[in-house]
Amino acid sequence: MKTWMIVSAYILFAPLLGGLLAGIDRKITARMQGRFGPPVLQPFYDVLKLFEKESVAVNHVQNFYILFFLIGVIFTGCLFFSGGDLLMVIFALTLANIFLILGAYSANSPYSSIGALRELMLMMAYEPMVFLVAIGFYMVTGSFGISNLVQSNKMLLPYLPGIFAGFLYILTIKMRKSPFDLSMSHHAHQEIVKGITTEFSGSTLALIEIAHWYENLFLMGFIFLFFTWTSPWGPVVGVLACLVVYFLEILIDNSFARAKWQYVLSSSWAVAATLGFANVVILQLLQK
Amino acid sequence: MLFPLLAAGLLAIVRNGKLQGFIVRVSALLIASGSILLAVQTFGGRLSIRVESEWLSYGMLALDIAMSVLIVVFAIRRRKPMAAILTLIQTPLLIWFELSNGHGIVIAADMAIDRLAILMALIIGVVGSLICVYTIPYMKEYHHHHPEFKDRTPFFLAMLFVFLSAMFGIVFSNNLVWMYFFWEVTTLCSFLLIGYTQKKEAVDNAFRALVMNLAGGVGFAAAVVYVGMNLHTMELSALIEMGLKGTIVIVPAVLLAFAGLVKAAQMPFSSWLLGAMVAPTPSSALLHSSTMVKAGVFLIIRLAPILSGNIAGLMVAMVGGITFLLASLAAISQTDAKKLLAWSTVANLGLIVACGGIGTYEAVWAGILLIIFHAVSKSLLFLSVGTVEHNIGSRDIEDMHGMVTKLPEMAVMLTIGIAAMFLAPFGMLISKWAALRAFIDSDNVLIVMALVFGSAATLFYWTKWLGKIVAVLGRSARLENHIKKDEWVSLGFHAAIAVGLCFLFPVISNRVIEPYLEGFYGTQIQSVLSAGNTNLVLMMLGMVLLMPIAMYVYVHLQDEKILTAYMSGVNQGDNRGFTDSFGKPKDMYLANWYMDKYLNEKTLSMIGIAASATTLAVVLMMALGGAL
Amino acid sequence: MPFFSKSPWIIHYDGSSCNGCDIEVLACLTPVYDVERFGVINTGNPKHADILLITGSVNEQNKDVIWQIYNQMPHPKVVAAIGICATSGGIFADCYNVLGGVDKVLPVDLYVPGCAARPEAIIDGVVKALGILGEKRKKMVARAKRKKMVTRLKQMKQKGGESHVRKSALSRHDP
Ligand code: SF4
């Protein structure tokens, strides 16, 4: 019963919250650049406007993939917030992302193809680290179940500092922030136009944006898991940590220029192979 | 088991095309239904068969000798001394052993049919015979396209059936000498199949396969002799039981695992399987999916209980892990579809082998599921690529661009195959999930890392291929397709099985794999996959299956305006070309990303070979040193 | 709801400008003018944009490009000519390759004159464009409705049903 409530709350309120976060993000970004910035509700205006536009496409199937991308992301989020299996969450997210990539591929346009390939490369870059997060949780608590992780009797962060740092590193990729926003971005990088979203417009583009909001929210959920424990303070610390991390991402976003793909791939694999690996090894030694 | 042999004999004689097709179809049907019947009949039980006849074992010995003479003749004719030397080591060794010590050993069961054997038999029977059906039209087309090769179709078909029967032999036999015999038969068969075209490259690759597998065979023979002399048994089941009871069986375990690794094309021996690509596609499909390499992993999975937690297991797991990681990376740089499939096979076998090497309950569970799912989807992919090659005249992935518009049927087949190889709700992924957990539980951090990075690479190469296929080419004519009815039957069944298996897997797991494993590990353990997760997987599966229907409805309901793709405003009227800076029209070509500068196949193989060969050498030395 | 007035996304195309106007367009994005206050984003992609800002005149080489970019923008859309070159060809009007202002190839909705057009004027132009966008949107909705009615009518006719609705009543407003 309780899970159902959480899940429906997620489906209903996640886009609102995600959109709000995005608005705050834009405002803070503007302030960091010495500008006044758009209204906080700007992301909602954008999305609502997109729904009012004419629907155009390169072919009849491309928008369909995006529909499945959105469904996939929502499904992943539900899985996450209903306390499902962390590995299943990762797999479901991968599936959803693949729909996005296939949509961009199917448009068969130069810019969206480059965007799709880059997105795919980014997935390859962050996937190992995401798995290591799940593995780290499992090694500490003995379970992949998110419902069990939330109820752990200690904060998990002290056991997983390396993995947390690694996750922060790839979180920049997942949140599409500079320097790792290779496949598309919210900024004026235009060397590949709008990358993976180039051929999507109007309501389809709005769906991508909404999916992104849903996604951001459960990415924050990952951060939350690192910090929370069973005490009234646990969730508070968790939410605070999420906000701090979000702010950190905005800061990173504004202080770096886009990196080359070689750097993104090699550095995120290196982070996973050093920080993540070291953390896992130490955990294993501790447990013996 | 003997029936395929009969079919082979018939096929070798019959030259008439129609009759040939008829025999193949009927015998394929009989083999498939026979193996299903066998599965239903003996379901759950363990059947042991003892054959008490002297002449049978002498007969096998004679055939062994005949085979090695054949190999020596081939070797001399083509001037490849290695093969001759290897076969001259093992056969006399075995003869000597049979004649001196072999007699005294009492054998309780020459053949044993348990759940694992039945599963394997189902794979071989069903997938194998579907491949045979596919072969009939394929070979006709093949010789049509390649008039330079001599048409030896009857021989080819016969070899396929001999292969199948040898595989049945391997999975059913419990007597190591028998198993060894069938083992060598598959080696010889694969040699003959790879060298089918008799081009120089084919012959070279065939000999490479032969030499490597014979080396594995030497390991097998040594293991047989060792087991017979020191442990006074000839039975695999007895060997495993001894190992579980605490007898030291490390030496035979290492030797047998070595043979298994070679057959499963693990690094450093992976090159034989990659070289096997020169053969006509059905034989590649057969080698890669249901037979040959599966014999290797089957042996390792069989041995898993005695590999668990010792140095032999560590060796196997390490080699598997290294192979999985490097082969996955190497697959990224492949443009040749068959080559990519080959690397992916090597990688997946690596994973299975690693599961066997870890040898815990969960790991073996994952390993067996991987065998099943991999067999079906890989075979589907190979056959699809074969058909595509005949239709578009190339098997380059770049040429498969826009397949959805050109050859929609084949695009669907390929998509099912690819999705089944790596996407979320399909079986491979579930098994991978279980494997990951098993690896963590057994504290093998290095292998966990290999799995994690390898999976990421896997994701990359499959998705970019899929992307090529789904690209929609505007105004591109649909190609006329020449897919024959037999090919359709085979492909259709494959696809249906690939999808159906995903729904069936909880049943397979509960009814077949878990009882089998409980025999070794005691009866406690709860299901590897919890009920909640099973439901989730089924839900996702439902979602994915709904997709085509939803897509159809969606596409027909929609009325978006269709525009050209954005090309900075210089399209040439459609999405196929643009105006260049000199004002001239130019065709657009979208290439995929292969990263071959960074993930060079040769470099990666070198690293893999060095790493795995070192592991192997160290462990072999330690095991043998300890024994002597 | 006219959300267009709150989120006008632009695409900027440089015809054959001397770069003076381009610099002023981009200056609008800087902290001094900060057009993002009004939700303006420079998208660089016609498929996402609502307003096409063109600087510089149209010439033989870019006329097709401008036409294609315009065509790839989904409705409703507004074209704004920025600077005197884009308005009439300006000082380049007599060049052998120059056709003249943007209105030689596209239906221009508003002109922002000046050499170079000042950022304030450009912002003013964009704000004017918002009003036009809103109106176009209204027309678009009306047209879509009418189209729906026509198709329904056709279906009814095919069924052999009521054809007593006068066709001219529906087609009166058709462009
Ligand atoms: S109007 Fe003046 S500043 Fe603008 S492009 Fe023309 S010449 Fe340059």
Side-chain angles (χ1 to χ4, degrees):
Chain A
M1 192 58 217
K2 207 175 141 223
T3 22
W4 281 114
M5 289 213 353
I6 297 177
V7 165
S8 37
Y10 170 76
I11 294 177
L12 282 177
F13 296 117
L16 298 181
L17 208 60
L20 210 61
L21 275 177
I24 296 170
D25 179 349
R26 278 172 76 173
K27 194 87 190 170
I28 295 178
T29 299
R31 287 298 159 87
M32 283 177 177
Q33 296 169 353
R35 293 187 287 121
F36 183 75
V40 174
L41 294 182
Q42 186 63 41
F44 296 106
Y45 299 148
D46 289 348
V47 162
L48 289 170
K49 174 204 74 175
L50 286 172
F51 276 116
E52 286 181 347
K53 299 256 327 177
E54 182 192 29
S55 79
V56 297
V58 179
N59 60 52
H60 282 300
V61 285
Q62 59 164 5
N63 292 348
F64 178 77
Y65 288 108
I66 300 304
L67 200 65
F68 261 74
F69 166 55
L70 178 66
I71 294 174
V73 169
I74 296 178
F75 178 79
T76 313
C78 293
L79 212 60
F80 188 92
F81 285 99
S82 63
D85 190 299
L86 204 52
L87 280 179
M88 282 291 157
V89 168
I90 298 173
F91 290 151
L93 183 62
T94 311
L95 178 66
N97 257 316
I98 282 173
F99 281 126
L100 173 64
I101 292 170
L102 291 186
Y105 257 118
S106 86
N108 192 37
S109 118
Y111 294 107
S112 76
S113 292
I114 295 177
L117 271 171
R118 285 193 177 182
E119 176 75 16
L120 197 52
M121 185 276 298
L122 291 176
M123 270 173 92
M124 176 161 81
Y126 68 67
E127 200 90 326
M129 197 59 228
V130 176
F131 273 115
L132 282 175
V133 170
I135 291 167
F137 282 145
Y138 179 74
M139 289 180 83
V140 180
T141 63
S143 160
F144 282 121
I146 292 167
S147 46
N148 300 336
L149 291 176
V150 180
Q151 280 159 8
S152 88
N153 50 13
K154 56 203 176 200
M155 195 198 263
L156 298 177
L157 182 67
Y159 297 87
L160 305 165
I163 286 180
F164 180 68
F167 184 66
L168 276 189
Y169 195 84
I170 56 118
L171 192 63
T172 317
I173 302 179
K174 274 266 64 173
M175 291 178 70
R176 306 192 183 290
K177 298 283 189 196
S178 249
F180 299 155
D181 52 349
L182 296 188
S183 67
M184 72 182 246
S185 77
H186 294 97
H187 300 296
H189 304 298
Q190 285 178 4
E191 96 269 21
I192 54 165
V193 189
K194 278 283 171 183
I196 196 163
T197 60
T198 301
E199 299 300 338
F200 300 110
S201 62
S203 48
T204 313
L205 186 62
L207 293 186
I208 295 180
E209 197 58 32
I210 293 174
H212 188 50
W213 295 345
Y214 272 111
E215 199 178 353
N216 274 354
L217 219 66
F218 69 73
L219 288 176
M220 284 299 118
F222 270 84
I223 301 285
F224 184 80
L225 288 181
F226 275 104
F227 284 91
T228 189
W229 75 99
T230 46
S231 103
W233 288 106
V236 178
V237 174
V239 171
L240 277 180
C242 291
L243 292 178
V244 171
V245 166
Y246 207 103
F247 182 76
L248 202 68
E249 285 299 331
I250 299 172
L251 191 65
I252 293 171
D253 190 21
N254 281 298
S255 10
F256 293 100
R258 232 183 219 182
K260 276 204 214 167
W261 73 264
Q262 288 94 334
Y263 177 75
V264 179
L265 184 58
S266 57
S267 69
S268 22
W269 276 34
V271 164
T274 51
L275 286 177
F277 179 62
N279 202 156
V280 170
V281 169
I282 291 170
L283 270 182
Q284 197 186 69
L285 293 178
L286 281 181
Q287 275 168 356
K288 271 186 187 155
Chain B
M1 184 181 125
L2 286 177
F3 180 75
L5 217 53
L6 191 70
L10 265 177
L11 281 169
I13 304 164
V14 176
R15 300 274 149 173
N16 177 323
K18 272 223 183 93
L19 195 58
Q20 219 174 60
F22 177 73
I23 296 172
V24 171
R25 272 178 225 137
V26 169
S27 42
L29 187 71
L30 282 177
I31 294 169
S33 48
S35 46
I36 293 172
L37 200 70
L38 179 78
V40 174
Q41 260 183 2
T42 52
F43 194 75
R46 187 191 150 92
L47 209 66
S48 302
I49 300 166
R50 182 160 173 247
V51 185
E52 260 193 271
S53 78
E54 282 286 301
W55 65 266
L56 195 65
S57 57
Y58 282 122
M60 273 189 192
L61 208 58
L63 277 175
D64 256 342
I65 295 169
M67 277 195 302
S68 78
V69 169
L70 199 64
I71 291 172
V72 170
V73 170
F74 274 125
I76 291 171
R77 214 197 285 159
R78 301 275 177 182
R79 300 211 169 64
K80 307 265 180 189
M82 257 325 262
I85 294 170
L86 284 170
T87 190
L88 286 180
I89 295 176
Q90 48 187 318
T91 313
L93 183 70
L94 216 71
I95 296 169
W96 165 75
F97 168 74
E98 271 286 285
L99 296 180
S100 62
N101 296 30
H103 274 309
I105 298 166
V106 184
I107 291 163
D110 286 315
M111 284 168 54
I113 305 179
D114 60 359
R115 286 189 172 87
L116 182 61
I118 289 173
L119 262 184
M120 290 300 295
L122 271 179
I123 296 175
I124 299 162
V126 176
V127 178
S129 43
L130 281 176
I131 295 174
C132 291
V133 171
Y134 175 92
T135 313
I136 316 166
Y138 183 91
M139 288 315 280
K140 261 190 216 131
E141 289 252 334
Y142 185 81
H143 285 292
H144 185 67
H145 283 274
H146 299 278
E148 69 273 25
F149 302 138
K150 213 172 97 201
D151 188 345
R152 294 192 295 156
T153 310
F155 166 76
F156 189 79
L157 285 169
M159 272 302 127
L160 291 185
F161 280 100
V162 172
F163 212 133
L164 288 188
S165 93
M167 277 305 291
F168 280 124
I170 289 180
V171 299
F172 288 142
S173 32
N174 189 36
N175 182 338
L176 281 172
V177 177
W178 287 34
M179 203 181 213
Y180 169 78
F181 168 71
F182 293 120
W183 194 264
E184 292 302 295
V185 175
T186 59
T187 301
L188 187 65
C189 277
S190 66
F191 164 72
L192 293 171
L193 283 175
I194 296 169
Y196 176 74
T197 58
Q198 303 201 322
K199 264 191 306 187
K200 174 138 189 351
E201 191 195 0
V203 173
D204 284 348
N205 288 342
F207 267 100
R208 179 157 357 119
L210 184 64
V211 168
M212 284 188 176
N213 279 308
L214 283 177
V218 171
F220 204 124
V224 170
V225 173
Y226 183 92
V227 171
M229 308 243 303
N230 293 4
L231 304 171
H232 304 292
T233 177
M234 235 25 309
E235 289 167 77
L236 191 57
S237 56
L239 176 69
I240 291 168
E241 235 161 70
M242 278 181 200
L244 283 176
K245 282 203 191 100
T247 323
I248 310 290
V249 289
I250 193 101
V251 177
V254 167
L255 288 172
L256 285 175
F258 174 75
L261 286 177
V262 176
K263 204 136 254 196
Q266 294 304 291
M267 280 176 182
F269 309 107
S270 54
S271 56
W272 78 257
L273 189 61
L274 296 164
M277 298 286 73
V278 293
T281 301
S283 67
S284 326
L286 203 64
L287 293 181
H288 279 259
S289 62
S290 54
T291 61
M292 194 68 182
V293 295
K294 284 293 168 352
V297 291
F298 167 76
L299 183 62
I300 285 174
I301 291 282
R302 259 279 146 89
L303 292 173
I306 54 169
L307 292 176
S308 166
N310 61 28
I311 177 166
L314 194 67
M315 160 185 97
V316 173
M318 284 302 292
V319 170
I322 294 169
T323 308
F324 176 65
L325 177 62
L326 291 169
S328 300
L329 287 174
I332 289 178
S333 63
Q334 301 306 320
T335 55
D336 180 341
K338 262 174 107 177
K339 206 84 183 284
L340 182 145
L341 289 178
W343 274 115
S344 133
T345 304
V346 172
N348 278 306
L349 293 171
L351 194 57
I352 302 171
V353 160
C355 285
I358 298 285
T360 59
Y361 178 84
E362 277 170 332
V364 178
W365 184 87
I368 297 175
L369 272 185
L370 278 171
I371 293 184
I372 304 172
F373 288 121
H374 179 254
V376 178
S377 16
K378 205 27 96 42
S379 165
L380 172 61
L381 279 171
F382 263 112
L383 299 186
S384 303
V385 167
T387 307
V388 168
E389 190 182 353
H390 278 173
N391 275 297
I392 65 175
S394 156
R395 59 180 196 227
D396 196 315
I397 291 174
E398 290 295 312
D399 294 332
M400 296 187 193
H401 190 89
M403 190 88 106
V404 160
T405 29
K406 285 188 198 152
L407 283 171
E409 301 90 350
M410 289 321 297
V412 170
M413 289 298 162
L414 278 173
T415 307
I416 294 177
I418 294 177
M421 285 304 291
F422 83 108
L423 269 186
F426 290 99
M428 289 296 279
L429 208 89
I430 299 166
S431 336
K432 234 177 231 177
W433 174 84
L436 182 61
R437 232 178 73 176
F439 293 166
I440 306 171
D441 281 341
S442 63
D443 287 342
N444 274 297
V445 186
L446 278 175
I447 297 168
V448 170
M449 294 305 276
L451 177 61
V452 160
F453 283 99
S455 310
T458 311
L459 179 83
F460 188 78
Y461 67 78
W462 286 126
T463 313
K464 74 182 180 171
W465 187 1
L466 207 52
K468 273 274 160 202
I469 294 170
V470 301
V472 176
L473 289 178
R475 296 186 202 170
S476 163
R478 208 166 138 158
L479 292 184
E480 193 190 340
N481 78 48
H482 314 279
I483 308 169
K484 297 278 165 18
K485 210 166 75 213
D486 286 320
E487 293 184 341
W488 260 125
V489 169
S490 177
L491 290 171
F493 265 110
H494 268 106
I497 296 172
V499 176
L501 266 181
C502 300
F503 284 105
L504 278 180
F505 94 90
V507 182
I508 299 175
S509 158
N510 283 336
R511 293 289 177 77
V512 187
I513 303 180
E514 283 171 24
Y516 167 73
L517 292 174
E518 271 158 17
F520 294 111
Y521 297 92
T523 41
Q524 47 60 96
I525 320 153
Q526 80 310 21
S527 253
V528 178
L529 205 59
S530 71
N533 278 334
T534 314
N535 290 342
L536 265 179
V537 168
L538 291 181
M539 231 164 94
M540 274 160 89
L541 202 61
M543 190 173 108
V544 171
L545 289 185
L546 222 67
M547 223 183 112
I549 304 165
M551 189 181 260
Y552 184 81
V553 173
Y554 182 88
V555 168
H556 283 259
L557 281 183
Q558 245 200 353
D559 60 338
E560 327 106 316
K561 192 161 89 184
I562 296 298
L563 294 178
T564 46
Y566 178 66
M567 291 188 201
S568 311
V570 290
N571 307 45
Q572 284 273 332
D574 60 13
N575 297 333
R576 310 293 295 277
F578 59 92
T579 314
D580 67 5
S581 48
F582 297 108
K584 300 265 157 49
K586 220 175 205 164
D587 279 339
M588 184 188 69
Y589 168 62
L590 293 176
N592 245 338
W593 196 357
Y594 294 99
M595 303 187 176
D596 39 3
K597 224 191 262 166
Y598 303 91
L599 299 170
N600 188 289
E601 187 187 349
K602 283 218 181 77
T603 330
L604 286 172
S605 320
M606 289 297 284
I607 299 172
I609 289 172
S612 51
T614 326
T615 321
L616 271 182
V618 168
V619 174
L620 276 179
M621 237 123 69
M622 273 164 76
L624 295 181
L628 296 177
Chain C
M1 279 280 277
F3 287 104
F4 279 97
S5 60
K6 300 215 151 132
S7 144
W9 289 1
I10 59 172
I11 175 171
H12 165 211
Y13 181 76
D14 174 359
S16 42
S17 125
C18 75
N19 273 184
C21 286
D22 300 323
I23 287 168
E24 300 300 343
V25 167
L26 294 178
C28 296
L29 298 169
T30 58
V32 180
Y33 298 100
D34 186 24
V35 281
E36 211 199 344
R37 275 180 298 162
F38 312 116
V40 173
I41 292 178
N42 185 5
T43 59
N45 176 2
K47 306 215 163 169
H48 294 182
D50 309 306
I51 303 173
L52 173 58
L53 299 184
I54 300 186
T55 55
S57 54
V58 176
N59 56 34
E60 284 294 342
Q61 190 158 29
N62 69 18
K63 63 176 202 280
D64 295 335
V65 177
I66 295 180
W67 179 244
Q68 275 198 23
I69 289 181
Y70 175 75
N71 266 337
Q72 287 181 345
M73 288 169 66
H75 283 294
K77 54 190 168 189
V78 165
V79 181
I82 307 290
I84 205 69
C85 287
T87 308
S88 65
I91 58 164
F92 302 114
D94 291 333
C95 290
Y96 69 100
N97 58 338
V98 170
L99 296 178
V102 179
D103 45 13
K104 287 276 187 304
V105 267
L106 294 186
V108 177
D109 294 282
L110 60 98
Y111 300 88
V112 180
C115 178
R118 295 185 62 79
E120 291 90 339
I122 296 173
I123 295 173
D124 202 37
V126 170
V127 172
K128 282 244 167 57
L130 296 181
I132 302 173
L133 268 177
E135 242 155 59
K136 285 196 171 178
R137 158 83 188 155
K138 258 187 230 151
K139 273 191 199 149
M140 194 180 111
V141 173
R143 205 179 308 136
K145 251 189 205 155
R146 206 159 51 234
K147 199 174 155 198
K148 225 184 227 167
M149 265 168 81
V150 170
T151 40
R152 202 178 304 154
L153 200 76
K154 269 185 194 155
Q155 279 168 359
M156 270 151 95
K157 247 188 181 168
Q158 270 170 4
K159 278 183 198 156
E162 300 101 294
S163 54
H164 59 266
V165 183
R166 265 189 302 136
K167 205 181 159 202
S168 58
L170 281 155
S171 55
R172 195 168 27 199
H173 299 292
D174 262 349

